[in-house]
Amino acid sequence: MAERYYIRTWGCQMNERDSEVLAGQLEAMGYEPAERPEEADVVLLNTCTIRDNADQKQLGELGRLKPLKTANPRMLLGVAGCMAQVPEAVERIRRQAPFVDLVFGTHNLHKLPELIEKARRSDEMVVDVWQYAQGVQEHLPSRRSGGVRAWVNIIYGCDKYCTYCIVPYTRGRERSRRPEEILAEIRALVAQGYREITLLGQNVNSYGHDLPERYDFADLLRDVDRLPGIGWVRYMTSHPRDFTPRLIETLAETEHVCEHVHLPVQSGSDAVLKRMNRKYTVAQYLETVDRIRERIPGATLTTDIIVGFPGESEEDFEATLELVRRVRYDNAFTFVYSPRAGTVATRWLADDPTTEEEKHRRLERLNEVVYAIAREKNEALVGREFEVLVEGPSRKDPSVFTARTRGNKLVLVPGERVRAGEWARVRITRAHTWTLEAEPTGAPLAQPALAAGEAR
Ligand code: 5AD
Ligand code: SF4
């Protein structure tokens, strides 16, 4: 019987995509997927370290896996991903989970077959973490996990060095993939029937800066948009500073690129933005938002916000509330600042007068405003018709299917009248903060009604 593997993934879509490559390599080695870690010969945790609670959860998971290791000493337990790139975190793993067999990082995923062999032969924990990436790895096997939605990396790493953020240290300097590699990958995905492509990068708008020719994210979007048979196209994540008028023009003109912009603002205070090293002001951000709304009518807008950044005053925080009320985001991911070892902002913590408790109160106050607006915006959609891409049965109730609008709104539809992986036309019947409920208005659409797009 073939040996089996189990991978658990935390964090962002970059990590999800990396796990697909880990799975692909394991399958190329002859492993088959297991439903549960109990049934697996290789268990990998692909970790995130963006905030301390991610570290905590992952260490907790290692603790829960310990009895499995004891019961089945042949089981190989590995920790991969962003946490492995942080030396302090690796020390914590050594201390708290010495039974782990293998630790490797984000830059040597492609060495998995060798690493497994090495760990199988060694009695000690094998730690193989590369500090720097060696170029871009192409043509690795992968096992996609997103149904008819596929993720495609376009740029790795980040050069922005926001003072709170660990990503430049865990993911390294920016490296763009060659456009012809990206386009070939997407062409193959379209041929295999994938309906939605999400272009991935920590900062997709910097795509191409490091290429020898003049070719940027807007050029790439235009080329992807022109591929025969392409369905919907999304992209994650954008930095407001690089969200240029030229890019907005491209988004307005392309047919297949969805009308959803995730534009992390982080704070509504210029003083905080400056110390975050975000390199834009609130006024510049608002100008970009206004331009997006003017040129892409009906676009949904979401964001990320951090409260309790070192030195954030009550007035700074109120400026963030003000910005949220002004922009009226469709929704937002909100976080309390979490100190990350090695980042600049941790130096300012000693002088920070705001208590952890107060920071959590700020988060609650912010969420009240964000969620009330999200709900109002969703309620305004009741009665309107949208084209959605149906994903499949929802986790809670398999008779209800999840689907998404071009604006990336999550819609629940009765399963019997739609087909997983197909487009459908629906009418919104009820609104909640994070989801919409809808009824199909006709037969499933085999082809996207491209000209129709989202109701405007
Ligand atoms: N503390 C809290 N939130 C953070 N983020 C990134 N680093 C930190 C940190 N140290 C948030 C930012 C980013 C999102 C992915 O995570 O809002 O946009
Ligand atoms: Fe987490 Fe950042 Fe790594 Fe993604 S890149 S898994 S968000 S630390």
Side-chain angles (χ1 to χ4, degrees), residues 283-314:
Q284 285 165 336
Y285 182 89
L286 290 174
E287 209 178 295
T288 302
V289 166
D290 290 344
R291 188 173 284 123
I292 291 169
R293 291 211 158 129
E294 190 191 310
R295 292 295 296 130
I296 317 170
T300 56
L301 199 67
T302 53
T303 200
D304 295 342
I305 299 170
I306 297 176
V307 301
F309 184 77
E312 181 192 70
S313 65
E314 171 63 24

Side-chain angles (χ1 to χ4, degrees), residues 50-51 164 266 304 306 335-338 340:
I50 192 95
R51 285 170 290 275
Y164 51 81
Q266 312 301 359
D304 295 342
I306 297 176
F335 312 100
V336 173
Y337 168 74
S338 171
R340 306 283 67 204

Side-chain angles (χ1 to χ4, degrees), residues 303-334:
T303 200
D304 295 342
I305 299 170
I306 297 176
V307 301
F309 184 77
E312 181 192 70
S313 65
E314 171 63 24
E315 291 71 42
D316 291 324
F317 171 68
E318 282 170 14
T320 299
L321 292 181
E322 189 48 43
L323 173 101
V324 169
R325 290 194 189 101
R326 158 79 163 74
V327 175
R328 293 184 59 79
Y329 292 102
D330 286 272
N331 225 321
F333 298 103
T334 57

